[in-house]
């Protein structure tokens, strides 16, 4: 096979991905910030920042789908002189190559855990910028180190650049009749303040500061860039002369101008700080129309020297050290170890923080947090910072309705459900069980079930979280169709299987258009499987609570009876699937509005779908009758290709009015037979439960970024260090091309799959269950797992077996069963298969 062009490589020791060519096939980005202040940054310093909510608190402006791609960001322009045969010539360059695109003598971008370092060198000058958001601070630090590596004294001019967004990222892109008149700034020393709309209802402003006296500035974009120029050649920079402009309306920006002289070998640091401040209503102004800068001054004072910034950076690194020490594997396979120990866990943190809101494919103005998405994301994150997962569960449950249905999405800033999309996605409720059970198993904290949680955020409507779980299960039971299978509603996990929508109007959204619910027979086998999996979890939880009697705090519930009630519902669902959900070689996908089969051999196209194979094999429905094995074999036969398993096969070749958005996509893309990576792990877990370790591993490695990185940096196109939502499937024009990187449930599912089912370290109520499922070729490996107050070193000896634990010793003593009983302290565990 021909080796494709490479743009970078992993540096595992530093936990970095090192990009060595700025012209990657697509911007390769990173995320900065962990809790409140966030930034997206590309390998050429493009991107933007926001506070909590990418729609309502956008701090800097970004233009999606721009030409050229990824234009705009935090730019440093360095103006130098180059001596040639014709005498001196001015040369302008940027450490990240863009936007001037002056060829550099050296370029490198290192994306690390919560930071990015971009270094450029040109004509004996090195500019290295470290970007990060310090822990608990509402600011992005940009520490620029300028070094003179030549033997001459260098006299340089430095311009910084940021463009402000007028806060609401949606109206910023459309309401120009207003926007061009509202922009306001203040300038104080080396700080430029952005205070648009502060005079009225906003109690927040932003600032851009540098810790050195400046020799000039600009705050008006047109004056700085020039109406007929571009970011690549701003007039002020090209002439080496700031204009000291003061923006009134139009487009406010922030640019510092600094003159720098460097002796040979000399280096200087400049700390730039992009900050965000909120003031109390009665403390907004220091005098009429002058913003109160007290908090900005305090924030600046915390980060205004190299020493303070280096300390903040060291704290960030320690924070990540601690997070990544919770689960560490050593298998000797670098490609596996780096994904498990570094990048998969990192991506889980990012998806937990952002849900599907802001990436280079998600504009930040659309979806906020998804109900189902966030429940799944937290399963990949709960071991890292359990209290944050706990809060997330409460926030999510607060957007539920009294009948167990729920808002499909909510806004992170307000935590309120989005009325634009509403509810009616009938898989949503089950995911609350999935998330909550994972949280309790990780922490042993049953008290979360006693938390009083409202409906639709209405004060006074609170019931216990346990009650929310109960009505979630009941929502499925109360919405069964003619085959006693779950009614699908607007859609299940597959947002694009819109069986009740019936749209011929291209201006309608498949997802928000009023569905025909009267008389629908549309049922989902995906929800059926999901109900069985989460129902079994719910039953086990109730049994556990019955055993804890009294200790859980919740009173008035007979948990044993509740367990029995739900077990019956689960058994009934299993029967319904066996009777009405089996097509002979695989599980059906759904019944449509009229009760006709979807995902059946009888269909012309899309005879088989992945989701129901995944969920029904995870639920082990009909395993005793060979259904599970047949279904898994069918996935291999019909869905698998070189780049992973496609969602359905054959692809839809035409629009089907009764099916909705799924058939709107060209063949091989997105939900129409794309490799929708999120669902591959479902089948992989099905394989693991069935003990088929070779198959599980081969499916897993196909979509594991480190394996793809080695072969396909160009074809794959998007970042090689994280999973993307979708890889073009076998029917697509370019199979293997990735899209929608970063924000995908794939992260959490890859983590859940590898950590719990392949490597086999599974948190449980009373301890850690050990149950790996491996390829025959696996050799001995060790997992260091911090769990509650304990620290386990677990060594597994597979001995060529794919599955089946034979012996376990805990601190030298044999134990029976597969659960290591939890006890605080350090423990050594040996496992043989
Ligand atoms: C996409 C889905 C996505 C949904 C929600 C659909 O068009 O295909 O993947 O979940 O929109 O925005
Ligand atoms: C992306 C959405 O975020 C997720 O909720 C959905 O399940 C998948 N697309 C599949 O349609």
């Amino acid at each position: 096979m021909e080796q494709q062009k490479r743009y970078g490589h992993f540096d595992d020791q530093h936990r970095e991905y090192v990009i060595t060519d700025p012209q990657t096939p697509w911007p390769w980005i990173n995320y900065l910030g962990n809790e409140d202040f966030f930034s997206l940054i590309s390998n050429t310093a493009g991107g933007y920042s926001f506070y909590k909510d990418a729609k309502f608190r956008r701090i800097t402006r970004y233009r999606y789908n721009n030409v050229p791609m990824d234009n705009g960001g935090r730019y440093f322009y360095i103006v130098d002189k180059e001596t040639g045969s014709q005498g001196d010539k001015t040369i302008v360059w940027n450490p990240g190559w863009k936007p001037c695109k002056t060829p550099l003598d050296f370029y490198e971008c290192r994306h690390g855990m919560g930071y990015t370092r971009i270094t450029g060198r040109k004509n004996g000058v090195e500019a290295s910028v470290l970007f990060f958001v310090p822990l608990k601070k509402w600011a992005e630090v940009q520490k620029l180190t300028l070094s003179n590596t030549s033997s001459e004294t260098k006299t340089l001019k430095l311009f910084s650049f940021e463009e402000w967004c007028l806060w609401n990222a949606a109206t910023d892109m459309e309401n120009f009749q207003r926007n061009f008149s509202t922009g306001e700034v203040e300038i104080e020393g080396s700080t430029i303040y952005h205070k648009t709309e502060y005079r009225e209802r906003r109690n927040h402003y932003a600032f851009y500061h540098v810790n050195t006296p400046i020799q000039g500035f600009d705050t008006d974009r047109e004056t700085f860039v020039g109406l007929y120029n571009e970011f690549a050649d701003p007039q002020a920079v090209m002439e080496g002369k700031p204009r000291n402009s003061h923006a009134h309306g139009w487009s406010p920006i922030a640019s510092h101008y600094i003159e720098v002289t460097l002796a040979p070998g000399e280096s200087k640091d400049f700390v730039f700080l992009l900050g965000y401040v909120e003031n109390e209503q009665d403390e907004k102004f220091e005098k009429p129309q002058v913003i109160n800068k007290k908090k900005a001054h305090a924030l600046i004072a915390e980060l205004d020297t190299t020493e303070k910034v280096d300390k903040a950076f060291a704290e960030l690194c320690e924070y990540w050290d601690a997070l990544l020490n919770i689960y560490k594997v050593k298998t000797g396979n670098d490609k596996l170890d780096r994904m498990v120990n570094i990048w998969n866990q990192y991506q889980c943190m990012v998806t937990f923080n952002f849900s599907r809101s802001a990436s280079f494919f998600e504009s930040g103005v659309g979806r906020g947090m998804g109900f189902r998405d966030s429940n799944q994301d937290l399963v990949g994150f709960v071991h890292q910072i359990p209290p944050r997962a706990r809060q997330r569960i409460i926030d999510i449950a607060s957007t539920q309705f009294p009948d167990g249905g729920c808002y499909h999405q909510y806004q992170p800033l307000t935590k309120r459900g989005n009325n634009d999309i509403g509810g009616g996605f009938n898989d949503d409720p089950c995911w609350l069980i999935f998330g909550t059970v994972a949280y309790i198993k990780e922490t042993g904290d049953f008290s979360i079930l006693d938390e009083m949680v409202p409906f639709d955020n209405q004060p006074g409507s609170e019931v216990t979280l346990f009650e929310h779980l109960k009505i979630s299960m009941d929502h499925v039971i109360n919405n069964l169709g003619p085959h006693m299978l779950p009614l699908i509603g607007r859609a299940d996990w597959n947002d694009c299987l819109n069986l009740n929508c019936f749209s011929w109007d291209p201006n309608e959204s498949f997802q928000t258009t009023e569905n025909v619910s009267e008389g629908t027979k549309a049922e989902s086998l995906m929800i059926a499987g999901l109900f069985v999996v989460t129902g079994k979890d719910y039953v086990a939880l109730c049994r556990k609570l019955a055993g804890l009697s009294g200790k859980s705090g919740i009173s008035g519930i007979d948990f044993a009876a509740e367990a029995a009630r739900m077990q019956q519902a689960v058994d009934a669902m299993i029967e319904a699937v066996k009777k009405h959900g089996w097509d002979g070689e695989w599980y059906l996908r759904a019944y449509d509005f009229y009760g006709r089969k979807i995902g059946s051999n009888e269909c012309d196209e899309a005879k088989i779908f992945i989701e129901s194979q995944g969920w029904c094999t995870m639920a082990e429905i009909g395993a005793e009758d060979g259904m599970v094995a047949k279904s898994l074999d069918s996935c291999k036969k019909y869905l698998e290709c070189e780049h992973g398993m496609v969602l359905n096969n054959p692809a839809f070749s035409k629009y089907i009015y009764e099916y909705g958005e799924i058939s709107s996509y060209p063949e091989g893309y997105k939900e129409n037979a794309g490799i929708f990576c999120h669902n591959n792990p479902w089948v992989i877990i099905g394989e693991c439960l069935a003990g088929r370790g070779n198959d599980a591993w081969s499916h897993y490695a196909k979509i594991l970024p480190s394996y793809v990185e080695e072969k396909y940096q160009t074809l794959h196109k998007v970042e090689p260090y994280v999973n993307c939502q979708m890889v073009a499937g076998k029917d697509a024009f370019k199979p293997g091309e990735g899209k929608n990187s970063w924000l995908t449930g794939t992260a959490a599912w890859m983590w859940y799959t590898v950590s719990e089912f392949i490597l086999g370290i599974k948190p449980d109520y009373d301890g850690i269950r050990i149950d790996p499922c491996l390829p025959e070729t696996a050799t001995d490996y060790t997992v260091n797992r911090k769990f509650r107050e304990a620290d386990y070193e677990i060594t597994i000896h597979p001995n060529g077996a794919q599955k089946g634990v034979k012996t376990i010793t805990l601190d030298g003593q044999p134990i029976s069963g597969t659960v290591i009983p939890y006890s605080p302290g350090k423990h050594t565990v040996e496992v043989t298969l």
Side-chain angles (χ1 to χ4, degrees), residues 325-519:
N325 263 332
I326 297 168
Y327 191 122
K328 255 191 163 161
V329 71
K330 213 156 121 199
T331 65
N333 172 350
D334 289 348
K335 288 204 272 295
L336 176 61
D337 291 0
R338 72 167 62 105
M339 291 316 298
V340 173
N341 295 337
I342 306 170
W343 293 98
N344 192 175
Q345 296 201 56
Y346 184 58
Q347 189 180 2
C348 285
M349 165 72 93
V350 170
T351 54
F352 177 83
N353 286 336
F354 292 90
S355 189
R356 307 296 169 264
S357 66
S359 73
F360 271 29
F361 295 87
E362 301 278 9
S363 63
V365 301
R367 293 181 276 173
M369 316 293 283
F371 192 101
R372 73 160 89 90
D373 293 331
S374 293
N375 271 305
Q376 292 170 77
D377 293 343
L378 72 86
V379 170
F381 169 84
V382 62
H383 65 290
Q384 297 186 358
I385 311 178
R388 286 188 64 199
R390 188 183 207 274
Q391 185 57 50
R392 180 64 57 81
I393 291 169
I394 307 290
D395 291 347
I396 298 171
S398 305
T399 65
Q400 202 167 20
F401 302 119
D403 72 348
C406 40
Y407 278 107
H408 194 47
Q409 291 155 10
Y410 71 95
Q411 243 5 87
L413 195 68
T414 61
K415 299 190 177 178
R416 299 251 160 194
N418 282 347
N419 277 314
D420 302 347
I421 179 128
F425 293 76
N426 283 353
D427 62 315
D428 273 339
C430 292
W431 297 109
L432 188 62
I433 319 266
F434 183 65
T436 307
V437 163
Y439 169 78
I440 301 175
K441 286 185 172 172
E442 179 66 36
T443 57
D445 171 20
F446 288 91
S447 78
I448 190 174
L449 296 171
D450 308 338
E451 289 293 334
M452 298 300 285
V453 182
F455 292 115
D456 191 7
N457 279 292
Q458 293 306 315
S461 66
E462 291 82 358
V463 298
T464 62
L465 180 66
F466 181 81
E467 195 68 30
H468 280 265
L469 301 191
K470 178 165 175 283
I471 63 169
S472 295
M473 297 306 301
D474 285 341
H475 189 267
V476 177
I477 299 172
N478 295 336
N479 288 281
L480 298 176
H483 301 97
M484 300 310 279
L485 294 166
L487 289 170
I488 198 168
R490 286 184 181 282
D492 59 26
W493 172 87
N494 190 331
D495 284 327
C496 301
L497 196 59
N498 316 117
L499 303 182
N500 302 309
C501 184
F502 303 111
S503 178
W504 275 121
D505 178 355
N507 298 324
E508 276 174 2
S509 143
F510 287 104
Q511 292 182 46
T512 55
T513 299
E514 198 46 52
N515 273 237
V516 186
S517 47
E518 205 57 33

Side-chain angles (χ1 to χ4, degrees), residues 30-41 48-52 74 112-116 131-141 316 319-320 323 346-354 381 385 388 742:
N30 194 12
Y31 286 85
L32 314 177
N34 285 320
E35 281 185 58
D36 297 330
F37 189 105
F38 296 108
S39 300
L40 280 66
I41 182 166
Y48 59 91
S49 303
F50 60 91
Y51 171 78
K52 280 193 184 168
R74 52 297 261 172
M113 306 287 105
Y115 69 89
T116 287
F131 300 90
F132 70 102
V133 173
L135 298 174
K136 308 274 174 214
K137 297 273 191 295
W138 294 354
E140 176 184 307
V141 169
L316 178 69
Y319 169 88
W320 273 104
L323 286 182
Y346 184 58
Q347 189 180 2
C348 285
M349 165 72 93
V350 170
T351 54
F352 177 83
N353 286 336
F354 292 90
F381 169 84
I385 311 178
R388 286 188 64 199
W742 281 100

Side-chain angles (χ1 to χ4, degrees), residues 504-681:
W504 275 121
D505 178 355
N507 298 324
E508 276 174 2
S509 143
F510 287 104
Q511 292 182 46
T512 55
T513 299
E514 198 46 52
N515 273 237
V516 186
S517 47
E518 205 57 33
T520 181
K521 295 180 185 162
E523 297 169 300
S524 162
L525 267 302
M526 182 268 156
I527 306 183
L530 174 67
F531 177 83
V532 173
V533 170
T534 51
K536 286 180 185 171
D537 281 342
Y538 179 88
V539 169
L541 176 66
C542 289
R543 294 211 175 111
K544 183 74 203 158
L545 290 168
L548 287 176
S549 65
K551 273 190 250 156
S552 84
I554 307 173
S555 54
I557 297 180
D558 179 346
F559 288 111
E562 179 61 5
R565 179 180 82 96
M566 202 53 64
Q567 185 62 54
Q568 261 181 12
V570 167
D571 292 343
M573 189 69 77
I574 293 174
E575 282 318 304
V577 173
K578 284 181 161 179
K579 200 154 160 217
H580 301 292
W582 183 247
D583 198 52
E585 296 294 317
W586 56 78
Y587 303 96
L588 289 175
R589 175 60 176 90
Y591 284 95
D592 74 7
F593 184 90
Y594 306 102
R596 297 178 303 213
K597 290 176 186 171
I598 298 183
S600 158
N601 204 21
E602 295 165 17
C603 302
D604 293 338
E605 296 185 330
K607 290 168 181 283
I608 171 171
F609 283 75
I610 198 168
E611 302 98 329
S612 42
Q613 313 319 316
W615 281 98
C616 295
T617 59
M618 280 163 77
E620 303 182 285
I621 297 173
E624 63 290 354
D625 304 329
M627 282 157 76
V628 165
K630 278 191 188 156
S631 159
L632 294 170
D633 287 343
S634 295
C635 290
K636 280 173 51 179
K637 196 158 161 202
Y638 302 107
L639 302 178
E640 193 180 14
C641 70
E642 189 198 341
H643 306 283
M645 284 175 277
V646 299
L647 191 146
N648 52 293
N649 186 253
F652 290 104
S653 65
K654 53 183 179 302
Y655 176 58
I656 302 180
Y657 174 60
E658 292 87 350
Y659 289 7
E661 185 168 353
I662 190 165
S663 58
S664 74
Y665 285 109
E667 294 87 331
Y669 292 100
K670 293 282 284 182
E671 281 88 343
N672 183 17
I675 297 159
F676 212 98
C677 301
H678 186 143
N679 53 41
N680 277 226

